[in-house]
Amino acid sequence: MDSLETFVVESAIDSETEFYRKIIEDNLASLKLAPAIGRIKVVLRPEDSLFQMAIILRDVGTRVTTIDIADVETKPVAGEVVISIKKEQYIPELLVKLWERYGKANISQPDRWTVTISTDKPAEEAEFIKEMLVADPRHRLHENLVDFAIRVTPEGFRVRYHLYKGNRFVFVASEETLEREWIEEAGAMLDELMEGGKK
């Protein structure tokens, strides 16, 4: 697991602190989130049935277009666009986008590194494909952060709030109705992390 700049877990019950720290570490590893997270603080208050988490993210990259991961060329005589893959990690997302636009019948993948699209307008479509958005790491990160937060939340804490904005993520959960001050406290935790750690 990548080293976090700040990793704080607080609880009124000492035994819970190490237990939840281990749960958080295991889930960070299984979801491969550690490289994206710089600072994290979790507060457990069993007396209030309250779980609060604040996270400051590292830079997770920009949107990925086809030209970022592949070379695109046309074969006008054959009526084809040929995509030569350079970065295979985005192949599933690329294929989904291509299937949506052209239909599975018009897409072939003769080998792992090549995708061919049959089209009446190969030059036009090649230009479109080059600039086509394949993946947005921030969108995937948002989904993974919510999944992570739910996984590490105590059982039964079904009333939840989360905010993901820029490089900041806040999550609050409880068995009871959430109080505004709990959300504000989580915001204050985030401010602490922005300033470099624990106050």
Side-chain angles (χ1 to χ4, degrees), residues 112-171:
R112 181 176 176 172
W113 302 100
T114 309
V115 178
T116 305
I117 300 108
S118 297
T119 177
D120 295 338
K121 303 174 188 170
E124 268 180 50
E125 293 302 323
E127 289 308 310
F128 173 82
I129 290 168
K130 286 178 184 178
E131 300 304 320
M132 182 175 69
L133 178 66
V134 174
D136 186 348
R138 294 200 71 83
H139 178 70
R140 185 183 303 163
L141 178 61
H142 180 213
E143 292 172 354
N144 287 344
L145 283 170
V146 172
D147 183 26
F148 165 70
I150 291 170
R151 287 183 186 199
V152 301
T153 301
E155 187 88 23
F157 283 46
R158 303 253 183 256
V159 182
R160 302 176 185 131
Y161 166 87
H162 83 273
L163 174 68
Y164 175 59
K165 188 172 184 181
N167 70 334
R168 302 169 186 188
F169 180 79
V170 171
F171 185 86

Side-chain angles (χ1 to χ4, degrees), residues 64-107:
V64 178
T65 61
T66 307
I67 202 69
D68 297 325
I69 62 164
D71 293 322
V72 179
E73 63 179 292
T74 60
K75 293 198 174 175
V77 175
E80 292 180 339
V81 176
V82 178
I83 301 172
S84 302
I85 306 295
K86 295 185 289 189
K87 295 181 184 175
E88 70 177 315
Q89 78 186 76
Y90 295 105
I91 291 175
E93 291 95 331
L94 175 63
L95 287 172
V96 167
K97 299 278 185 177
L98 294 172
W99 292 336
E100 286 172 359
R101 183 169 174 93
Y102 303 101
K104 287 187 180 184
N106 294 312
I107 308 295

Side-chain angles (χ1 to χ4, degrees), residues 1-34:
M1 183 170 88
D2 285 11
S3 175
L4 301 172
E5 296 168 40
T6 304
F7 184 10
V8 178
V9 179
E10 296 177 359
S11 176
I13 302 171
D14 289 339
S15 60
E16 279 187 351
T17 302
E18 279 310 308
F19 177 73
Y20 272 97
R21 186 178 183 86
K22 179 71 174 131
I23 288 173
I24 290 165
E25 287 173 347
D26 290 348
N27 280 282
L28 282 173
S30 74
L31 290 170
K32 297 178 177 72
L33 279 172

